[in-house]
């Protein structure tokens, strides 16, 4: 895919996320890998109104080489590209229900999004809680690197989800799936709930592959 097409896709999918309430104000950022580096949404930009030509470009060493100043969360994104080399795109949101789970004191840090439905297993996989760091703190990137690529998605404590996938569409779909599953989990809180069994999760991984 050409860089121009990828820029257009980032702007189009970002607008779609914004219009459906997955991001508000200037929250959230999206990146995608290109041959000679990566594209990332500019800092303080609204995902609903991106100009494709102004999306930031960084070289392979993380130097800003084109477009507006990059997202301050570049550290989160680079940690996924570094530790999961198959990564083609990363989506960070402050979507409401995933963020709610990132704040709840009894969320299991090892398994923030238990296997409630098949698609969260297929598209997102196991989700780990990353301890709180202020937005833009490079230490959040260090914390993700320390996971050594074992998780395609994490919840940043009291902040929100970061989701990686092999390409832009897959990363956006996974971020949406994570948010909708978080909504189900919050809706079902206090009700006796049947999760998928270990055998059912294993069958999904065998048939559809891991994320
Ligand atoms: P940026 O505007 O720098 O991308 O930061 C937004 C955000 O989501 C912070 O977590």
């Amino acid at each position: 895919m050409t860089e121009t097409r990828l820029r257009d896709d980032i702007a189009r999918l970002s607008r779609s996320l914004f219009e459906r309430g997955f991001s508000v104000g200037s929250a959230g950022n999206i990146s995608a890998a290109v041959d000679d580096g990566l594209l990332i949404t500019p800092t303080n930009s609204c995902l609903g109104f991106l100009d494709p030509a102004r999306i930031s470009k960084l070289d392979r060493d993380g130097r800003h080489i084109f477009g507006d100043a990059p997202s301050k969360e570049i550290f989160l994104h680079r940690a996924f590209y570094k530790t999961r080399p198959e990564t083609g795109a990363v989506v960070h949101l402050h979507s409401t229900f995933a963020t709610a789970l990132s704040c709840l004191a009894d969320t299991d840090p090892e398994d923030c999004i238990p296997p409630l439905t098949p698609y969260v297993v297929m598209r997102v996989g196991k989700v780990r809680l990353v301890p709180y760091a202020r937005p833009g703190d490079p230490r959040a990137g260090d914390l993700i690197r320390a996971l050594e690529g074992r998780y395609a998605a994490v919840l940043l404590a009291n902040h929100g989800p970061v989701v990686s996938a092999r390409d832009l569409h897959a990363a956006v779909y996974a971020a949406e799936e994570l948010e909708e599953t978080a909504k189900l989990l919050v809706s079902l809180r206090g009700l006796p709930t049947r999760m998928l069994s270990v055998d059912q999760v294993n069958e999904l991984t065998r048939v559809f592959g891991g994320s």
Side-chain angles (χ1 to χ4, degrees):
M1 180 188 292
T2 65
E3 184 176 315
T4 307
R5 172 80 192 279
L6 192 54
R7 286 175 176 275
D8 288 344
D9 279 358
I10 291 173
R12 202 163 41 83
L13 288 167
S14 295
R15 186 173 65 241
S16 168
L17 286 169
F18 177 80
E19 287 177 348
R20 290 176 294 137
F22 287 92
S23 96
V24 298
S26 66
N29 29 76
I30 296 181
S31 69
V34 286
D35 285 346
D36 51 350
L38 62 85
L39 304 176
I40 186 161
T41 52
T43 191
N44 297 324
S45 58
C46 173
L47 293 190
F49 304 98
L50 292 173
D51 176 349
R54 292 177 63 176
I55 290 173
S56 318
K57 183 171 182 179
L58 307 187
D59 69 14
R60 285 171 176 276
D61 297 320
R63 282 187 296 255
H64 178 215
I65 52 172
F66 186 81
D68 289 350
S71 171
K72 61 181 163 297
E73 301 290 29
I74 185 64
F75 308 102
L76 305 177
H77 294 251
R78 292 193 76 216
F80 276 100
Y81 293 107
K82 177 80 182 166
T83 56
R84 293 176 63 90
E86 70 277 23
T87 300
V90 177
V91 174
H92 166 52
L93 298 172
H94 299 172
S95 50
T96 309
F97 288 90
T99 304
L101 289 183
S102 83
C103 299
L104 283 168
D106 61 353
T107 290
D108 179 355
E110 307 281 339
D111 192 11
C112 305
I113 310 284
L116 187 59
T117 63
Y119 261 62
V120 77
V121 175
M122 291 155 55
R123 298 285 185 249
V124 183
K126 219 168 191 179
V127 179
R128 174 72 176 255
L129 189 73
V130 170
Y132 178 80
R134 69 153 171 78
D137 186 336
R139 281 177 293 186
D142 299 339
L143 292 166
I144 292 173
R145 280 171 199 254
L147 300 174
E148 298 177 333
R150 291 193 301 279
Y151 301 85
V154 299
L155 288 189
L156 306 173
N158 298 75
H159 185 166
V162 191
V163 181
S164 69
R166 68 188 180 284
D167 63 36
L168 180 62
H169 281 85
V172 170
Y173 293 166
E176 294 179 8
E177 194 62 44
L178 192 160
E179 173 60 13
E180 294 306 311
T181 306
K183 189 190 279 186
L184 289 173
L185 288 166
V186 171
S187 313
L188 291 167
R189 266 178 103 77
L191 296 172
T193 303
R194 186 178 53 250
M195 296 291 163
L196 296 180
S197 68
V198 173
D199 283 351
Q200 289 166 333
V201 170
N202 289 342
E203 180 193 22
L204 290 166
T205 311
R206 195 173 63 246
V207 174
F208 298 105
S211 55

